[in-house]
Amino acid sequence: MADNKKINDEILEEVSGGKSEEQKAREEAEKKLHGRIVKDMFGNVTFTDKTGVTGSFTAADWAKLSANWAYTGNPEYFMETINVNELNGVLKA
């Protein structure tokens, strides 16, 4: 038996209070300002910045970087806006 209770995207567009095109555009613009963090089971991180450059960080290095921006309340959100080379520079300082 098919599950007819799911709402597809086309129907959802017609729902009052659904995402407007303007909201979608803002979300897409925001995504372009951030990189992508992928952690393995040991806490090591592969980070692809917003320019497409990829860097690898040990769990200890990532913890050090996170502590550097802990005052923001969400360090990884902030770190996603920084380039890999800048993060490496912070580690060398």
Side-chain angles (χ1 to χ4, degrees):
M1 177 189 273
D3 186 4
N4 295 327
K5 294 182 181 180
K6 292 184 179 180
I7 298 176
N8 64 31
D9 290 337
E10 293 171 12
I11 295 172
L12 191 57
E13 289 292 326
E14 303 301 320
V15 174
S16 177
K19 288 184 182 178
S20 67
E21 291 301 318
E22 182 179 326
Q23 288 171 317
K24 289 178 185 177
R26 273 186 273 152
E27 287 177 4
E28 286 300 315
E30 177 74 14
K31 282 182 186 177
K32 290 179 182 177
L33 299 175
H34 293 267
R36 194 171 128 239
I37 298 168
V38 178
K39 293 182 183 180
D40 69 13
M41 63 186 210
F42 303 108
N44 300 311
V45 174
T46 301
F47 174 64
T48 305
D49 69 22
K50 60 190 170 195
T51 65
V53 176
T54 299
S56 296
F57 300 90
T58 65
D61 287 343
W62 196 253
K64 180 181 176 184
L65 289 168
S66 294
N68 193 55
W69 287 287
Y71 70 91
T72 66
N74 190 352
E76 288 189 351
Y77 180 83
F78 181 78
M79 290 160 60
E80 289 174 349
T81 66
I82 300 173
N83 293 337
V84 169
N85 290 334
E86 292 172 301
L87 292 175
N88 284 324
V90 170
L91 287 174
K92 291 177 183 175

